[in-house]
Amino acid sequence: MRLKIVRGSVEYENGDKWKGEFVDGQPGGQGKHTFADGDVYEGRLVDGAPNGSGKMKYAAGGEFNYYRGDWENGKLHGNGTLKWIDGSMYVGEFQRQNLHGTGKMRYSNGGVYEGRWEDGKPNGVGKMEYAAGRKVKYYEGEWVNGKQHGYGTMKWVDGSVHAGEWLNGRRHGNGTCTYTDGRVYTGAWANGKKHGSGIMTEANGDELKQEYNHGQLLSSKRVATLSNGPPSQCPRIGNAVNDMFLLNEDYTTCDICMERFSFDRNTEYDNVKKRLPVLSKSCDHWCCHGCVLKEQTRRAGLAEDGASPTWIPCMKCRSEDAFCPSEPRYDRRLIDMLSSSIPVRGCFYRCGKR
């Protein structure tokens, strides 16, 4: 039996109007439905409800401006574009009236989220680029119910970056945070704060093993890693015999006080600890930690406010910012050699000799 399709218009008792096609005497097919509240739908009707492709222009005073896309049984379903009154706009997939699937949302404040959605919220993998003026630049990773949850990477406006596990929008689990000053912390987090064990790698490569309790630092101990020593010192370090380097005597003493370096890292006596060799950050010289502390004390006495300097220049060449008394850069490879008296194969300094 063939359906009879005609064009016409009808006005209902509730104030709704339909102008378009009729199928067997009922509104159906292509047309325009003007609702009593001011909403206007243009598209296809099936059994009296929007189905297929169509556009809804919403009345003033509501939450939405318009929707253009796919419909199923009167609900947003399929691919489409939804625009809010405040200017926000979503382009992507819908399921039974909800943002669901893959889509891109441009918020009225300038933020942009692109990725997976479920029941109207970011769920799955996606990237949020935050609006100008926010401390966070972007987050890219996993989401659950609109919050960072799972593995992801967040970058702040100042350049800091955290890559790791998240729980309900906070850093939680294992993660690595790279700070703008060059430090890198890798360890455990809980509720957005460092919690448990971790390693802080300083900008110069030194490592600190740290323990935290909900963001409060409990302990910080330097890890015995081998550092690069002063450059261009191979002739002074020792003589190569069968490609094995042996220390010269003058390399085992401080350039300032001329006392022999200590190699006992674990001693409880400060006077022995002060004999540990310390590398300069800004020149080729080195000395014992005790001489660095003495120079700091001397400079504090000369200062008008009596404050101790954080960095002091080299005592030999006066190179600026050479030593940090509170965080000495110990020559750990030399300490190892002094303690073992075993020759080392190849030059371990920056001259590159092997």
Side-chain angles (χ1 to χ4, degrees):
M1 180 177 177
R2 296 183 61 185
L3 297 176
K4 185 178 180 180
I5 302 175
V6 297
R7 295 191 64 85
S9 63
V10 63
E11 183 172 349
Y12 299 92
E13 292 183 357
N14 65 359
D16 289 1
K17 298 178 182 179
W18 169 257
K19 184 178 181 180
E21 296 178 333
F22 286 75
V23 179
D24 288 343
Q26 298 296 323
Q30 293 296 125
K32 180 179 179 179
H33 190 165
T34 303
F35 295 85
D37 62 5
D39 293 347
V40 178
Y41 171 78
E42 292 186 67
R44 185 173 182 81
L45 285 186
V46 176
D47 295 329
N51 274 275
S53 180
K55 178 180 179 179
M56 179 73 83
K57 181 70 171 72
Y58 296 95
E63 181 181 0
F64 303 109
N65 188 323
Y66 70 82
Y67 171 78
R68 181 177 59 247
D70 298 328
W71 298 77
E72 184 175 280
N73 298 325
K75 295 183 178 181
L76 285 57
H77 192 91
N79 290 294
T81 298
L82 180 62
K83 187 174 182 179
W84 281 256
I85 291 296
D86 66 4
S88 300
M89 179 181 289
Y90 172 84
V91 179
E93 296 178 302
F94 293 80
Q95 187 178 88
R96 293 185 293 275
Q97 207 76 2
N98 283 319
L99 284 59
H100 193 104
T102 300
K104 183 176 183 178
M105 173 73 86
R106 291 185 178 275
Y107 296 93
S108 59
N109 63 4
V112 178
Y113 172 81
E114 185 171 9
R116 297 292 298 177
W117 296 77
E118 185 175 322
D119 296 329
K121 297 179 180 180
N123 272 278
V125 177
K127 181 178 182 179
M128 176 73 83
E129 296 180 359
Y130 293 89
R134 296 284 298 274
K135 292 182 179 180
V136 178
K137 186 174 183 180
Y138 71 81
Y139 170 84
E140 185 172 12
E142 296 176 298
W143 299 76
V144 173
N145 293 326
K147 294 183 179 180
Q148 301 93 339
H149 192 103
Y151 186 88
T153 299
M154 179 175 283
K155 183 173 183 178
W156 283 263
V157 174
D158 66 3
S160 302
V161 177
H162 180 90
E165 297 172 304
W166 298 75
L167 180 69
N168 292 327
R170 294 184 176 183
R171 290 176 280 188
H172 192 97
N174 294 318
T176 297
C177 191
T178 303
Y179 300 94
T180 55
D181 59 6
R183 295 177 300 133
V184 178
Y185 178 82
T186 299
W189 300 71
N191 295 319
K193 297 180 180 180
K194 300 184 185 76
H195 183 73
S197 300
I199 297 294
M200 178 71 79
T201 303
E202 298 179 318
N204 63 5
D206 288 350
E207 294 183 348
L208 301 171
K209 184 177 181 180
Q210 298 180 332
E211 289 286 337
Y212 284 86
N213 182 27
H214 298 292
Q216 182 179 1
L217 181 62
L218 301 179
S219 64
S220 182
K221 299 179 180 179
R222 290 193 176 273
V223 179
T225 56
L226 303 182
S227 62
N228 290 325
S232 306
Q233 297 298 334
C234 293
R236 181 177 182 183
I237 291 173
N239 300 314
V241 179
N242 296 326
D243 202 32
M244 301 295 286
F245 282 81
L246 296 171
L247 288 175
N248 283 335
E249 278 297 317
D250 59 352
Y251 190 68
T252 64
T253 58
C254 172
D255 279 341
I256 306 302
C257 67
M258 301 308 294
E259 293 188 19
R260 186 175 177 82
F261 288 133
S262 168
F263 54 82
D264 188 354
R265 299 192 190 94
N266 300 316
T267 182
E268 297 179 356
Y269 300 100
D270 287 339
N271 62 330
V272 179
K273 283 185 178 180
K274 291 176 182 178
R275 300 271 68 79
L276 291 173
V278 178
L279 298 168
S280 167
K281 179 183 176 182
S282 58
C283 65
D284 297 349
H285 299 122
W286 60 95
C287 64
C288 67
H289 191 199
C291 286
V292 173
L293 294 173
K294 288 179 181 178
E295 180 66 10
Q296 182 189 41
T297 301
R298 186 184 73 84
R299 288 182 171 271
L302 296 175
E304 292 183 0
D305 57 359
S308 297
T310 303
W311 288 86
I312 62 173
C314 175
M315 286 79 81
K316 291 198 69 174
C317 67
R318 299 303 172 188
S319 174
E320 293 294 327
D321 296 336
F323 300 100
C324 179
S326 62
E327 295 184 2
R329 186 182 173 210
Y330 293 121
D331 189 345
R332 304 181 190 284
R333 188 64 181 272
L334 174 58
I335 294 172
D336 288 343
M337 293 181 69
L338 288 169
S339 62
S340 64
S341 300
I342 298 176
V344 63
R345 181 172 296 281
C347 178
F348 50 83
Y349 290 113
R350 287 175 280 184
C351 66
K353 293 182 179 180
R354 292 289 184 269

